[in-house]
Amino acid sequence: MSIAKKSETKYRQTERKSKGAYKINHSIIEKAPFGVYVVNEKGSVDYVNSAMLKIFGSSYVKFKSLNMLNLPVYKKIGLTKKIKMGLKGKSFKIGPIKYSSYLGKKTIVGYFTGIPFKEADIRKLAVIVEDVTEFKQVKEVSRKDFKELERRIKEQNAKLVKSNASLKKEITEREKAEDALRENEERLKILLDSIQAGIIVIDIESRKIVNANPMATKIIGLPKEQIIGFTCYKFICASEAGKCPIIDFGQTMDNSECELIKADGSKIPIIKTATSVVINGRRQIVEIFIDITERKRMEQLQLDMVVGLRAVLAITDKLIASPDVDTLFRQAVELARDELRLERCAIFIEEEDHMVGTYGTDRYGSTVDEHAKRFLKDKAWIERLQVRSPQEPRWTAIKEPYIEWDGEKDIRAGKGWVAVTPIQSPYKIVGVFVNDTMMSHAALDPTKQDIVAVFCSILGHITERIGAAKEVEMLNKELLESNKQLKQLAELKSEFASTLSHELRTPLTAMKEGIDLVLDGSTGAVNKEQKEFLGIAKRNADRLGHLINNVLIFSKLTSYKGGLKMEMGSINELIESVTASYKLVAEKKGFYIYTQLEATDGFISGFDSDRISQVMTNLIDNAIKFTNKGSVGVFTAKDDKSNSVKVCVEDTGTGIRKNDISKLFQSFVQLRSRKGRKPGGTGLGLAICKEIIKQSGGKIWVESEFGKGSKFCFILPVKERRRV
Amino acid sequence: MSKKILIVDDEEDVLAVLEKRVSGAGYQVIKANSGLDAVAKAKKELPDLIILDVLMPGMDGGDVASTLKQDDATKGIPIIFLSCLYTKKDETDEGHLIGENFFVSKPYKPDEFLDIIRDRLE
């Protein structure tokens, strides 16, 4: 063979060999009875054989499109995790696992074997899937047979057991009955032993105690053996021997409250129930009783509390009228001793951490102030008693022996009590009530504590009250004082005004008289010009006089002395006469003044005719002054509803601006107004009118339109009416 | 030629005695009984001095003065205010200069009043 041929053959052989190997491998896998597929790192399928497709129940295309890393079926059986691990290089073998084929068409039992490998440096995983479903089914069938057999054996067994059971049952029931009996007895014994009531059994014939439970022996104070054999009335219903409601009076049951005589002879209150029973053919009495000492004591405490609180209330009634804190506390300690039976009682008053007073007394009536002061020598005592910031009355037992109480041992023995009141008043009361050393109780009983706490609190409230009352009283006094001063000032003012007016009038009279004397020629001839200037002087002196008069009237009206003189009279008559005196003046100015008066049907009582004349004069005077043409009318009208008379003066004059109306009735307004000065005005006229009408019980007002005229009206109450 | 003085007051009586007093001192007197009257007469007559009541109905003394101050023809005319409300220093009857205005309280003392008039006219 040539070298060339040789080498060619070798090459062909090699090629054939390798190609054939692959083909063989491939076809083996392809035709393998087990499923094979290759997964790459991304989870998609690189290869799948037909067995796998059959097992999985899917087409080639479909299987290739699956991602093995998120296949729900695989997730369910935990295969996804394994595949992930396998892709990282870890081989695995799991199974047999029951799982659903693709789309859940059938259930498969299989083994999964994972073999990781590398292809062109890429990690891949070959998964071999063996379907062992059928094998398993065969196994299942054989197991079924086995089970059937087992069942039959069991049935057989059961029949046997059953027949045995009826036999056993008989035995068990007997045992049970015995147990129950024993149990019942036990239970009854436990019940009788542990019950908080005493129970004794009495034989009716002999009246002797035949049995007693432990509580009964405890209450009576004798062991069971010693109790048994005594007659019942040795301990219970002693005074009623021969009067047993059951034995002697034939009752079947008895409920009553009575006394039990203890072994030591002392008596305690009990409540008992006696029942007649028949035990073992013998008539017996079962007597059940409860010690009610504690209950009685509580009842007594409650009663004490009620009595105590009543006492506190009674004391409160007495204390509430105390005029000052000092009296209050002095009375309080005495009443506490007498009524609350607090043998030694002290009240300490504290003001911003300083003791400002102590009150105290003991049952001998002697003061315990000295004790109290000594008691309080140590200023920090309250802190040490820890009774700071009390919201409610609080009690603290004095237990530590740091407080000196000369000659007394009770505080050291813990017999003292302190109550602190929650008071907002200037004082804080700290009451200390110390029990009497002679008393056998170690400390105040809770009832007394509570009562004293209440008492202390009440004292606090009374203190507060007294403080408040004092304050009110003081304020009242101040108010009265300032009121008095104001009155004095007002009187002084009006006094001053009237004095001043009188003083002013005197020189004015001399002036006027002097002018008159020159004018009337008494001092010789007066020429025309002299007459003219004297005329001016006279006119203005008159005006001044008028002014002074008005000031005088106004000050009189507004003073306390300037009351009106009420008289009976006819308002119409008065108005007629005032109006008449102005007729000439009006005519001189060229217009008329007229009246239109409604019959007022009798008399009006209660007006000061002088003053009302003054009002009318003022109003008519004003009307004429401010009217140049037209007329001035005076009207009266009665109003039966309000029982009053309305009087109006209406003019057709200049009228009043709206802004000025409100100022119109104020005093001196005219004098002070910048532009409103009117000829001859005092600025007091309308103020005087208003004051007079007000004091007459009426009302005055004005209606006016600027440029058209004004209407001044007032109403006066009609107090009495009589037919003429 | 005697100086011309305009006297203004709404009260005829006051006007009458003022006129007598001022004219008696040798001055020529013009009278006005209201603010409006005063402004009109001041503009027409151009007086050397105005004696002006403060409190008058309608146009009062202050209004008159400020109206005259707005007119070049009248703004230089000296004014003496007559006031019965001015009480601050009413123990003395001398006039008081408040701002540019000269105040004299009513009632005035005739001699001193005439002295003040003379002063203001110089």
Side-chain angles (χ1 to χ4, degrees):
Chain A
M1 197 185 281
S2 69
I3 292 170
K5 203 176 178 178
K6 229 180 175 176
S7 67
E8 192 204 75
T9 313
K10 202 175 185 180
Y11 168 72
R12 281 177 188 271
Q13 271 178 343
T14 317
E15 196 193 29
R16 205 180 295 131
K17 205 180 174 180
S18 63
K19 271 193 176 170
Y22 180 77
K23 263 186 183 163
I24 289 162
N25 280 344
H26 192 263
S27 67
I28 288 170
I29 293 167
E30 192 58 49
K31 289 172 184 165
F34 46 84
V36 178
Y37 63 87
V38 176
V39 194
N40 63 24
E41 274 180 322
K42 286 174 184 166
S44 51
V45 177
D46 281 357
Y47 169 79
V48 59
N49 70 352
S50 46
M52 185 65 219
L53 297 175
K54 201 178 163 193
I55 293 166
F56 204 62
S58 150
S59 71
Y60 177 76
V61 179
K62 192 86 201 170
F63 196 92
K64 285 281 274 184
S65 72
L66 295 173
N67 189 313
M68 291 304 163
L69 290 179
N70 51 28
L71 206 59
V73 179
Y74 278 15
K75 264 186 189 161
K76 223 172 177 177
I77 56 173
L79 192 61
T80 315
K81 251 187 206 169
K82 291 283 180 190
I83 291 173
K84 273 183 189 165
M85 295 298 287
L87 283 168
K88 279 178 187 166
K90 206 173 174 186
S91 60
F92 64 86
K93 184 169 177 72
I94 56 169
I97 312 171
K98 233 184 205 178
Y99 67 101
S100 313
S101 69
Y102 184 63
L103 298 176
K105 276 172 188 162
K106 59 178 180 176
T107 305
I108 303 162
V109 182
Y111 286 94
F112 293 85
T113 310
I115 305 159
F117 67 97
K118 271 187 182 174
E119 199 173 72
D121 260 357
I122 297 168
R123 281 186 188 280
K124 294 197 175 177
L125 180 73
V127 182
I128 299 160
V129 184
E130 292 168 76
D131 183 0
V132 293
T133 316
E134 274 174 38
F135 173 71
K136 284 277 164 189
Q137 276 169 354
V138 172
K139 230 178 159 183
E140 197 72 24
V141 170
S142 59
R143 189 181 286 163
K144 262 183 190 164
D145 290 343
F146 176 75
K147 271 192 176 162
E148 178 62 24
L149 211 65
E150 211 178 24
R151 194 182 59 78
R152 283 193 197 150
I153 293 167
K154 265 186 184 168
E155 238 175 50
Q156 206 72 27
N157 265 344
K159 276 179 190 164
L160 272 168
V161 166
K162 222 176 179 181
S163 63
N164 274 348
S166 61
L167 215 72
K168 255 187 188 168
K169 202 179 166 191
E170 216 169 300
I171 300 166
T172 325
E173 265 169 16
R174 286 203 183 165
E175 279 175 359
K176 256 188 193 164
E178 270 170 37
D179 276 358
L181 207 67
R182 211 178 304 128
E183 231 170 72
N184 263 346
E185 217 165 87
E186 199 85 358
R187 205 177 294 148
L188 201 70
K189 194 172 179 305
I190 290 168
L191 210 70
L192 289 177
D193 287 358
S194 61
I195 204 162
Q196 287 300 301
I199 303 171
I200 55 175
V201 183
I202 299 151
D203 183 63
I204 284 187
E205 297 290 312
S206 60
R207 300 191 188 211
K208 275 183 180 163
I209 298 169
V210 294
N211 206 348
N213 78 339
M215 197 61 197
T217 67
K218 199 178 160 194
I219 293 173
I220 293 168
L222 277 177
K224 186 175 169 183
E225 302 75 44
Q226 290 184 37
I227 292 173
I228 290 170
F230 275 116
T231 51
C232 59
Y233 44 83
K234 160 85 176 159
F235 305 111
I236 305 171
C237 26
S239 57
E240 290 169 21
K243 286 182 197 168
C244 180
I246 292 170
I247 302 169
D248 300 315
F249 301 122
Q251 275 177 230
T252 50
M253 210 173 158
D254 172 48
N255 278 315
S256 58
E257 214 173 281
C258 62
E259 279 183 332
L260 180 139
I261 305 159
K262 293 178 72 145
D264 62 9
S266 63
K267 291 175 180 175
I268 56 159
I270 57 162
I271 190 158
K272 62 154 193 158
T273 302
T275 325
S276 138
V277 291
V278 178
I279 301 172
N280 296 335
R282 292 183 71 91
R283 285 187 63 223
Q284 292 182 327
I285 294 174
V286 174
E287 193 123 26
I288 305 167
F289 52 91
I290 305 163
D291 177 2
I292 55 169
T293 315
E294 190 58 25
R295 204 167 89 185
K296 284 269 168 198
R297 207 175 71 82
M298 290 312 288
E299 274 173 14
Q300 189 56 43
L301 278 181
Q302 260 175 355
L303 201 72
D304 287 352
M305 193 72 196
V306 169
V307 170
L309 288 178
R310 275 208 193 116
V312 170
L313 267 182
I315 293 173
T316 307
D317 281 347
K318 287 180 191 167
L319 290 177
I320 212 148
S322 302
D324 53 65
V325 184
D326 192 56
T327 318
L328 170 73
F329 293 145
R330 277 188 200 295
Q331 285 183 344
V333 284
E334 278 170 24
L335 288 168
R337 180 196 62 206
D338 299 339
E339 308 285 333
L340 301 182
R341 290 186 293 133
L342 294 162
E343 281 76 8
R344 184 168 289 117
C345 161
I347 295 171
F348 306 122
I349 306 151
E350 191 199 39
E351 195 177 20
E352 288 176 7
D353 291 351
H354 299 287
M355 282 297 155
V356 292
T358 56
Y359 299 84
T361 184
D362 60 20
R363 68 185 154 141
Y364 309 109
S366 64
T367 174
V368 291
D369 277 13
E370 282 309 309
H371 295 310
K373 275 174 189 153
R374 208 168 297 146
F375 182 81
L376 297 170
K377 220 162 42 181
D378 185 351
K379 277 179 187 167
W381 72 290
I382 290 181
E383 279 84 353
R384 285 164 69 180
L385 289 170
Q386 294 180 312
V387 287
R388 275 277 145 214
S389 67
Q391 293 302 310
E392 301 233 324
R394 235 175 81 184
W395 285 91
T396 300
I398 305 165
K399 286 200 173 122
E400 290 180 35
Y402 52 72
I403 298 157
E404 297 279 326
W405 186 289
D406 204 19
E408 304 286 342
K409 298 258 181 348
D410 45 4
I411 291 177
R412 289 166 197 268
K415 291 176 192 169
W417 298 86
V418 178
V420 181
T421 57
I423 306 176
Q424 314 270 310
S425 71
Y427 301 119
K428 179 188 287 166
I429 301 175
V430 180
V432 175
F433 299 87
V434 182
N435 226 4
D436 194 90
T437 44
M438 300 304 286
M439 283 177 77
S440 57
H441 294 296
L444 277 181
D445 65 51
T447 312
K448 222 158 213 183
Q449 282 183 36
D450 286 348
I451 288 168
V452 178
V454 170
F455 182 54
C456 230
S457 159
I458 283 172
L459 279 183
H461 290 305
I462 297 177
T463 320
E464 246 176 303
R465 220 181 102 115
I466 289 172
K470 274 262 148 67
E471 212 164 299
V472 169
E473 199 181 307
M474 224 164 70
L475 282 173
N476 265 345
K477 236 183 204 168
E478 272 172 29
L479 219 65
L480 274 174
E481 191 56 39
S482 60
N483 219 348
K484 212 166 133 191
Q485 280 175 4
L486 273 176
K487 260 186 195 172
Q488 277 173 354
L489 268 175
E491 254 164 53
L492 210 68
K493 190 194 100 191
S494 72
E495 193 101 335
F496 173 75
S498 73
T499 311
L500 188 71
S501 301
H502 283 296
E503 289 301 312
L504 288 172
R505 275 205 275 189
T506 314
L508 198 63
T509 314
M511 264 171 67
K512 273 169 74 178
E513 192 53 19
I515 294 163
D516 278 343
L517 280 170
V518 178
L519 258 179
D520 66 13
S522 305
T523 56
V526 184
N527 69 26
K528 198 190 160 200
E529 199 182 11
Q530 284 166 340
K531 233 178 205 169
E532 191 191 318
F533 282 107
L534 281 174
I536 288 174
K538 183 176 151 70
R539 229 183 1 259
N540 282 282
D542 284 345
R543 192 172 140 195
L544 188 60
H546 187 60
L547 243 151
I548 291 166
N549 250 359
N550 270 348
V551 171
L552 187 65
I553 290 163
F554 188 71
S555 75
K556 249 190 193 168
L557 273 173
T558 51
S559 80
Y560 287 91
K561 292 172 184 170
L564 298 181
K565 285 180 210 118
M566 299 302 198
E567 285 163 354
M568 304 244 272
S570 162
I571 194 95
N572 281 353
E573 273 172 33
L574 185 148
I575 287 165
E576 284 288 9
S577 81
V578 175
T579 311
S581 64
Y582 278 95
K583 280 207 164 123
L584 264 175
V585 188
E587 274 166 26
K588 248 191 200 168
K589 277 192 89 172
F591 57 85
Y592 289 101
I593 181 164
Y594 64 96
T595 56
Q596 194 176 314
L597 309 176
E598 191 179 343
T600 45
D601 193 20
F603 293 99
I604 296 171
S605 76
F607 69 88
D608 184 325
S609 60
D610 281 355
R611 295 291 174 232
I612 298 296
S613 299
Q614 201 174 354
V615 172
M616 288 312 296
T617 306
N618 240 313
L619 294 182
I620 295 170
D621 206 48
N622 274 347
I624 288 172
K625 208 181 289 169
F626 292 102
T627 305
N628 292 316
K629 55 183 179 180
S631 61
V632 171
V634 183
F635 313 97
T636 58
K638 58 175 174 151
D639 181 3
D640 287 328
K641 256 191 200 163
S642 61
N643 206 20
S644 59
V645 168
K646 181 173 162 190
V647 181
C648 294
V649 177
E650 191 171 11
D651 65 56
T652 54
T654 53
I656 306 152
R657 284 191 179 86
K658 252 188 186 162
N659 304 359
D660 293 331
I661 285 180
S662 61
K663 299 182 211 153
L664 212 57
F665 292 100
Q666 292 169 16
S667 44
F668 301 109
V669 152
Q670 202 173 22
L671 286 176
R672 289 188 185 279
S673 79
R674 200 159 153 264
K675 297 188 179 183
R677 195 163 65 151
K678 292 147 194 167
T682 61
L684 272 176
L686 286 173
I688 289 171
C689 290
K690 190 188 171 188
E691 195 59 38
I692 291 170
I693 298 298
K694 197 179 107 188
Q695 289 190 17
S696 304
K699 207 177 105 185
I700 189 165
W701 70 95
V702 64
E703 296 157 16
S704 180
E705 199 176 324
F706 188 65
K708 285 193 174 175
S710 312
K711 188 179 177 186
F712 282 82
C713 297
F714 63 87
I715 47 169
L716 281 180
V718 176
K719 286 180 184 161
E720 202 179 295
R721 202 174 263 228
R722 228 190 294 149
R723 231 165 233 299
V724 195
Chain B
M1 195 191 144
S2 62
K3 301 271 185 181
K4 211 191 278 178
I5 296 177
L6 172 63
I7 54 177
V8 188
D9 204 306
D10 60 316
E11 298 244 0
E12 292 295 341
D13 284 350
V14 176
L15 214 50
V17 293
L18 261 177
E19 183 193 15
K20 185 70 193 169
R21 180 63 66 197
V22 175
S23 65
Y27 301 107
Q28 189 191 338
V29 175
I30 310 152
K31 293 191 286 182
N33 64 5
S34 75
L36 278 173
D37 194 16
V39 172
K41 282 185 172 148
K43 285 187 176 173
K44 190 182 158 206
E45 303 280 347
L46 294 174
D48 298 295
L49 177 73
I50 301 170
I51 297 166
L52 186 56
D53 184 23
V54 177
L55 262 182
M56 286 185 293
M59 195 181 200
D60 70 8
D63 297 337
V64 171
S66 58
T67 309
L68 293 180
K69 285 278 180 287
Q70 282 164 14
D71 194 324
D72 285 341
T74 54
K75 74 175 178 188
I77 303 171
I79 295 172
I80 295 172
F81 284 105
L82 267 183
S83 167
C84 53
L85 283 185
Y86 184 72
T87 53
K88 202 170 178 183
K89 281 189 181 176
D90 55 5
E91 313 91 56
T92 73
D93 285 311
E94 291 162 29
H96 306 284
L97 196 63
I98 299 172
E100 290 176 20
N101 302 317
F102 208 81
F103 282 82
V104 172
S105 305
K106 281 198 277 190
Y108 50 82
K109 281 185 181 168
D111 292 351
E112 285 170 16
F113 184 53
L114 289 177
D115 281 347
I116 289 162
I117 291 172
R118 253 194 302 281
D119 280 353
R120 299 309 292 171
L121 282 171
E122 272 163 18

